[in-house]
Amino acid sequence: MTVQKVECWVYRAPIDQPVAAAVGSMTNRPAVFLRISARDGAWGWGEVFCNFPTVGAEHRARIVREIIAPLVEGTPSDQPAATWNQLTQRLRRMALQAGEPGPLAQAIAAIDQALWDMQARRAGLPLWRLLADTPQADGRVRLYASGLGPENVAGTALARQAQGYTAFKFKVGFQPDKDIADFQAMRDALGPQAQIMVDANQAWEADTAAQRIAALERYDPYWIEEPLAADEPLDVWRKLADSTPIALAAGENIRGQADFEAAANNGHLRFLQPDVAKWGGITGCLAVARHAEQAGLVFCPHWLGGGIGLAASMQLRAALGPAGLVEVDANPNPLRERVCPLGKLENGWLRLPDTPGIGIEPDLAALEPYRVA
């Protein structure tokens, strides 16, 4: 059961409106999909983070093809955690030398996703069943509509509400008056019962974050996500958390088990949001999720890419039971919609199929019009 081949495909889907955030904008929707094939005929899929910078997709694909694939081909295909650890250690010094610990970690994360998908397919089980160690896990996940804004936030939210969503996240970090007006529009449109989160995408400096959050408190945000840069000192994060009753959330831009544990133990977060394609894959994010739960935090996986990573994120959350939420981008993206269609939710909940693995099989022929490398 050794790895025979590692392949990847680079896609870019055109969009009518850029997806804007305080940290930057996407003028198209990119994705890097990865498939690992083993000598026994088994296979599995993973996805590499590539939203930023705009040239990131092609660059990460070359990392996979020229650096990662030669290290993985010919190795055991049935030991995803061991492979993830070995790749992380083997490429540690290269990551330092290149100044690219992020892109290398992202490529390794996709390898890990694919190997876990393969493990579950071999077992004939959905991945959540293979990973689950709690009787509360029942294959259900609660989803929230994300990425709303910066324009027409209420209209987009109402459209997702009609699809069964009950929780919504919109972008702030632009102009204070606009952030407040958008929240007022969201609350008026969705009503007092809706869970509404805001994502500042690291927009604020420490000395202004508290006042920005205070201005939003009257609208009852469920959480404030990334109000500060991810690398701000932990005491700065803790001071901000102590200044507001509103829960803080972060995690997509934390990298490494030690840093996740330090953040979880610091007491400033109530929601922890690792991303299976940015660091850790299934192996790393599962360990982070379990530590988060032990620390009294809620694990809510971050996701804003294509359909493979979304499927993996839902399987991971489902393995830990029905708590928490899974992020689903509300913006148009055929690389998500055609790969992992969701359909209508039941009061915010989705029951995952019993299909082995991550539950999907990408139709590469249908995606060919978007392929660029």
Side-chain angles (χ1 to χ4, degrees):
M1 291 193 291
T2 57
V3 173
Q4 183 174 37
K5 184 183 290 187
V6 178
E7 304 169 274
C8 67
W9 294 261
V10 181
Y11 300 101
R12 290 189 179 277
I15 51 178
D16 293 332
Q17 296 292 331
V19 178
V23 73
S25 298
M26 288 183 283
T27 56
N28 59 70
R29 303 308 304 266
V32 177
F33 294 161
L34 175 153
R35 182 173 64 194
I36 297 180
S37 305
R39 296 191 186 280
D40 66 345
W43 72 95
W45 289 93
E47 182 169 349
V48 188
F49 171 85
C50 61
N51 287 347
F52 299 105
T54 55
V55 297
E58 290 84 353
H59 170 59
R60 285 157 177 78
R62 292 194 69 176
I63 288 176
V64 170
R65 291 166 178 157
E66 298 178 24
I67 298 173
I68 305 291
L71 297 178
V72 175
E73 290 171 354
T75 65
S77 67
D78 60 342
Q79 301 172 26
T83 298
W84 179 76
N85 278 295
Q86 289 163 8
L87 286 173
T88 299
Q89 290 304 314
R90 185 163 184 177
L91 293 172
R92 174 181 166 226
R93 288 172 174 80
M94 179 182 286
L96 294 170
Q97 185 72 26
E100 292 199 316
L104 284 162
Q106 292 153 16
I108 296 169
I111 294 290
D112 185 81
Q113 294 168 50
L115 290 177
W116 276 110
D117 183 28
M118 184 186 297
Q119 282 284 89
R121 289 174 189 261
R122 279 199 183 109
L125 296 171
L127 180 57
W128 74 265
R129 286 191 185 277
L130 185 70
L131 298 174
D133 58 3
T134 173
Q136 285 74 41
D138 59 4
R140 294 184 307 139
V141 287
R142 186 163 173 249
L143 309 182
Y144 72 92
S146 173
L148 281 67
E151 304 303 327
N152 192 32
V153 291
T156 305
L158 286 172
R160 298 299 171 261
Q161 189 179 56
Q163 295 173 345
Y165 288 88
T166 59
F168 312 84
K169 187 174 78 182
F170 75 99
K171 295 182 179 297
V172 296
F174 301 100
Q175 295 299 318
D177 290 347
K178 176 171 175 51
D179 294 344
I180 292 171
D182 283 346
F183 212 146
Q184 180 72 65
M186 288 276 286
R187 188 55 78 193
D188 289 346
L190 299 172
Q193 77 287 346
Q195 287 181 340
I196 302 177
M197 298 82 86
V198 300
D199 188 351
N201 291 118
Q202 309 183 82
W204 299 319
E205 299 296 334
D207 58 353
T208 60
Q211 66 185 76
R212 296 287 189 268
I213 293 172
L216 300 175
E217 284 180 9
R218 59 180 167 152
Y219 300 107
D220 191 26
Y222 189 60
W223 73 55
I224 306 282
E225 185 170 331
E226 286 200 317
L228 301 173
D231 62 354
E232 286 285 349
L234 291 177
D235 62 328
V236 176
W237 275 94
R238 182 59 186 263
K239 182 179 178 181
L240 178 63
D242 290 343
S243 74
T244 176
I246 305 302
L248 303 186
E252 66 180 278
N253 293 309
I254 298 174
R255 185 177 60 251
Q257 183 75 22
D259 285 350
F260 271 109
E261 291 189 7
N265 297 341
N266 191 52
H268 64 277
L269 298 176
R270 285 187 242 167
F271 299 92
L272 197 60
Q273 304 166 304
D275 185 309
V276 297
K278 295 194 81 171
W279 176 85
I282 300 297
T283 295
C285 289
L286 181 61
V288 166
R290 286 174 171 155
H291 183 86
E293 292 187 338
Q294 291 170 1
L297 281 66
V298 181
F299 165 59
C300 297
H302 172 271
W303 187 252
L304 207 78
I308 293 174
L310 174 59
S313 299
M314 292 191 295
Q315 295 284 335
L316 179 56
R317 179 57 265 182
L320 294 154
L325 300 102
V326 178
E327 181 172 22
V328 178
D329 185 9
N331 297 289
N333 184 356
L335 302 176
R336 182 192 70 249
E337 296 151 357
R338 295 191 179 188
V339 174
C340 186
L342 298 178
K344 186 175 175 60
L345 309 186
E346 294 294 333
N347 198 31
W349 291 90
L350 179 73
R351 183 170 293 280
L352 299 181
D354 286 331
T355 310
I358 60 173
I360 60 170
E361 183 65 31
D363 183 346
L364 298 184
L367 299 178
E368 190 62 25
Y370 307 114
R371 187 178 176 188
V372 295

